[in-house]
């Protein structure tokens, strides 16, 4: 799969019981039944190490940046350390890591900067498979600057992009390829490398949405050969924070909206105003925690590779159990590609005769928390004819157990029709 990485001592069997102990949220019960969280695609629970790091920053080091007294100096050091940790997470340089409120806000900000150099003869390639955070910013540019949007269609039979249409969409007028590497609605993983190479050959910039990908596969911006990549810490066990990889030599050429005398060089030139310092520290703590679940030998990147190797195998097994179990329930329709194809352990489904919100409420009453709706991937859900009611989405995370999958299946079996 795109963006995976190997490292020394890759095999490190995951101790699920130990992992689950790290998450205080798993002690919650619903009318005496332990809660099973299948809402990870919308935001995962956090291990104890994350709020501890954030609390330590706020209580012991809290200050604004770039001043000469100790807490400000400590803040500068902690923020830089966080850039280093997130750089290892994405296989980048710390100089390429910027932070913001969320991926959506960062993408709007970046798109506006890119748009200042574009005009009516230019084209931006987007896709039907993407979360609208990677659609709406480019649609805004099309309205404001007359740029042409070229949309790559979703093949509803496979749950993937029409690959030939994707390659045809990129041409001499393409200035930006904006593409997601994993669908938050269907779980489909797109191999973006060939499309990125095609776009680069035409002189275009490549922006990748890796929000849903990053919790399940170890991102490698070098392999993807992208200029920009966005992800969100709250999807990989961290706080609500957006992270932007921006290749510094490309970012330095952008006309970024900024205040004088704010820093004019990347990565800080990509950040507006005072940042969420405690969130940035917490995001780094989340990455460090993920690395701690892997083989303790090697660099941080190698430990991350080890951790992802093991969680990927567990995720595939849980996906197969969830998919096959749902497929055997009368009236359940599954959307997207089956197990064995490049995808994350995220399943979208409907139950005949029951609205998706009603299904989610029925599951919640049994301590099974799953999402419903379109998840801001509105075009995907519309293409499957579910725009009115949406679908139910259940996603597995590092803390998901096989017993919880069985509870999900049993809850779906008892949905009133």
């Amino acid at each position: 799969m795109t963006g995976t990485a190997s490292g020394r001592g890759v095999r490190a069997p995951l101790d699920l019981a130990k992992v689950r102990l790290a998450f205080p949220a798993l002690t919650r019960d619903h009318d005496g039944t332990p809660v099973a969280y299948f809402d990870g695609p919308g935001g995962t629970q956090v291990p104890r190490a994350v709020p501890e790091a954030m609390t330590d920053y706020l209580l012991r080091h809290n200050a604004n940046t770039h001043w000469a007294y100790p807490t400000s100096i400590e803040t500068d050091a902690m923020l830089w350390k966080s850039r280093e940790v997130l750089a290892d997470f994405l296989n980048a340089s710390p100089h390429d890591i910027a932070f913001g409120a969320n991926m959506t806000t960062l993408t709007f900000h970046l798109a506006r900067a890119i748009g200042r150099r574009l005009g009516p003869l230019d084209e931006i390639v987007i896709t039907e498979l993407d979360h609208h955070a990677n659609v709406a910013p480019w649609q805004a540019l099309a309205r404001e600057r007359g740029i042409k949007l070229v949309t790559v269609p979703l093949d509803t039979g496979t749950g993937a992009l029409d690959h030939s249409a994707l390659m045809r969409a990129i041409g001499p007028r393409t200035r930006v390829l904006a593409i997601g590497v994993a669908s938050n609605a269907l779980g489909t993983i797109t191999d973006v490398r060939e499309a990125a190479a095609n776009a680069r050959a035409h002189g275009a910039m490549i922006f990748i949405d890796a929000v849903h990908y990053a919790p399940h596969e170890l991102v490698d911006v070098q392999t993807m050969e992208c200029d920009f990549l966005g992800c969100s810490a709250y999807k990989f066990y961290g706080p609500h924070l957006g992270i932007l990889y921006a290749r510094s030599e490309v970012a330095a050429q952008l006309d970024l909206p900024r205040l004088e005398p704010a820093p004019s060089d990347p990565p800080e030139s990509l950040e507006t105003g005072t940042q969420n310092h405690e969130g940035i520290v917490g995001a780094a703590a989340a990455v460090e925690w993920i690395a701690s679940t892997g083989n303790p030998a090697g660099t941080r990147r190698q430990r991350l590779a080890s951790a992802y190797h093991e969680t990927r195998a567990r995720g595939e097994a849980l996906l197969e159990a969830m998919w096959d179990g749902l497929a055997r329930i009368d009236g359940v329709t599954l959307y997207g590609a089956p197990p064995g194809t490049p995808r994350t352990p995220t399943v979208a489904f409907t139950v005949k005769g029951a609205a998706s919100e009603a299904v989610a409420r029925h599951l919640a009453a049994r301590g099974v928390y799953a999402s419903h709706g379109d998840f801001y991937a509105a075009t995907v859900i519309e293409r499957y004819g579910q725009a009115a009611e949406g679908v139910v989405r259940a996603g597995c995370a590092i803390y998901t157990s096989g017993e919880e999958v069985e509870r999900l299946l049993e809850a779906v079996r008892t949905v009133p029709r």
Side-chain angles (χ1 to χ4, degrees):
M1 292 182 184
T2 304
T4 59
S6 60
R8 185 173 57 189
V10 161
R11 250 346 244 187
L14 184 74
D15 185 338
L16 182 60
K18 182 179 178 181
V19 164
R20 289 178 63 86
L21 284 173
F23 289 86
L26 300 185
T27 65
R28 179 176 178 133
D29 70 81
H30 189 99
D31 293 336
T33 301
V35 171
Y37 294 92
F38 286 92
D39 61 339
T44 52
Q45 303 306 309
V46 298
R48 191 174 286 103
V50 170
E52 286 178 349
M54 296 170 70
T55 299
D56 176 73
Y57 170 76
L58 286 170
L59 297 183
R60 300 177 185 276
H61 311 283
N62 190 30
N64 219 316
T65 56
H66 305 318
W67 286 324
Y69 55 86
T71 50
S72 181
I73 294 169
E74 291 160 10
T75 291
D76 288 338
M78 294 173 79
L79 297 185
W80 182 254
K81 176 66 174 179
S82 296
R83 293 190 204 275
E84 291 179 329
V85 172
L86 270 298
D88 283 347
F89 187 60
L90 302 179
N91 197 22
S93 161
H95 298 280
D96 300 333
I97 303 298
F99 301 103
N102 46 62
M103 179 268 186
T104 302
T105 301
L106 284 166
T107 307
F108 269 109
H109 182 60
L110 177 67
R112 174 160 292 185
I114 291 173
R116 288 177 167 179
R117 60 199 286 179
L118 303 183
L121 295 179
D122 298 320
E123 296 179 357
I124 295 176
V125 176
I126 60 175
T127 91
E128 289 187 339
L129 188 56
D130 273 70
H131 186 291
H132 278 209
N134 198 22
V135 175
W138 312 110
Q139 289 175 330
L141 283 188
R143 291 191 300 269
E144 294 167 6
R145 307 196 56 93
I147 298 162
K148 180 181 178 182
L149 292 183
V150 180
T151 304
V152 179
L154 165 67
D155 181 340
T156 56
T158 64
L161 293 175
D162 182 325
H163 181 73
S164 60
L166 171 60
M167 299 305 287
R168 289 195 306 271
I170 301 166
R173 291 187 175 179
T174 304
R175 297 295 174 262
V176 179
L177 167 64
I179 188 170
V181 68
S183 166
N184 73 309
L186 304 178
T188 309
I189 291 178
T190 301
D191 189 337
V192 299
R193 290 172 294 187
E194 185 179 0
N198 189 10
R200 187 172 302 284
H202 286 96
M205 290 179 283
I206 298 99
F207 177 87
I208 291 176
D209 172 1
V211 172
H212 186 68
Y213 185 81
H216 304 289
E217 297 285 342
L218 188 55
V219 175
D220 188 337
V221 297
Q222 306 305 322
T223 299
M224 293 177 179
E225 297 187 7
C226 56
D227 299 296
F228 306 100
L229 179 142
C231 58
S232 298
Y234 69 97
K235 301 297 178 74
F236 55 83
Y237 317 109
H240 291 91
L241 182 83
I243 299 121
L244 176 67
Y245 160 77
R247 197 150 57 93
S248 54
E249 58 266 36
V250 177
Q253 300 171 18
L254 297 180
D255 183 8
L256 288 156
R258 54 181 289 274
L259 303 178
E260 293 289 351
S264 58
D265 295 321
E268 288 182 301
S269 60
L270 290 147
E271 300 169 345
T272 54
T274 299
Q275 293 296 296
N276 176 5
H277 298 164
E278 62 272 22
I280 293 169
V281 169
V287 172
E288 295 281 32
W289 181 83
I290 295 170
S292 77
T293 68
N295 193 303
T299 65
R300 182 185 293 114
R301 180 73 181 177
Q302 289 170 330
R303 286 182 280 119
L304 285 165
S306 169
Y308 271 87
H309 179 89
E310 183 63 22
T311 55
R312 184 185 310 115
R314 285 198 72 253
E316 289 170 353
L318 292 169
L319 169 66
E320 185 172 356
M322 190 161 54
W323 183 280
D324 291 349
L326 288 168
R328 288 193 291 268
I329 300 174
D330 288 343
V332 168
T333 299
L334 289 155
Y335 301 92
T341 56
R343 63 177 345 279
T344 68
T346 300
V347 171
F349 66 96
T350 53
V351 179
K352 186 177 181 179
S356 292
E357 181 176 353
V359 174
R361 290 186 182 278
H362 176 82
L363 268 57
R366 287 149 182 78
V368 178
Y369 290 5
S371 311
H372 72 279
D374 63 23
F375 324 111
Y376 292 92
T379 304
V380 175
I381 304 306
E382 181 182 351
R383 287 293 312 280
Y384 280 103
Q386 299 298 323
E389 294 286 350
V391 301
V392 181
R393 181 181 66 182
C396 298
I398 195 171
Y399 43 71
T400 305
S401 71
E403 184 271 339
E404 289 175 328
V405 170
E406 287 301 318
R407 287 179 54 200
L408 167 71
L409 297 175
E410 180 59 29
V412 175
R413 290 186 193 102
T414 60
V415 169
R417 314 290 177 91

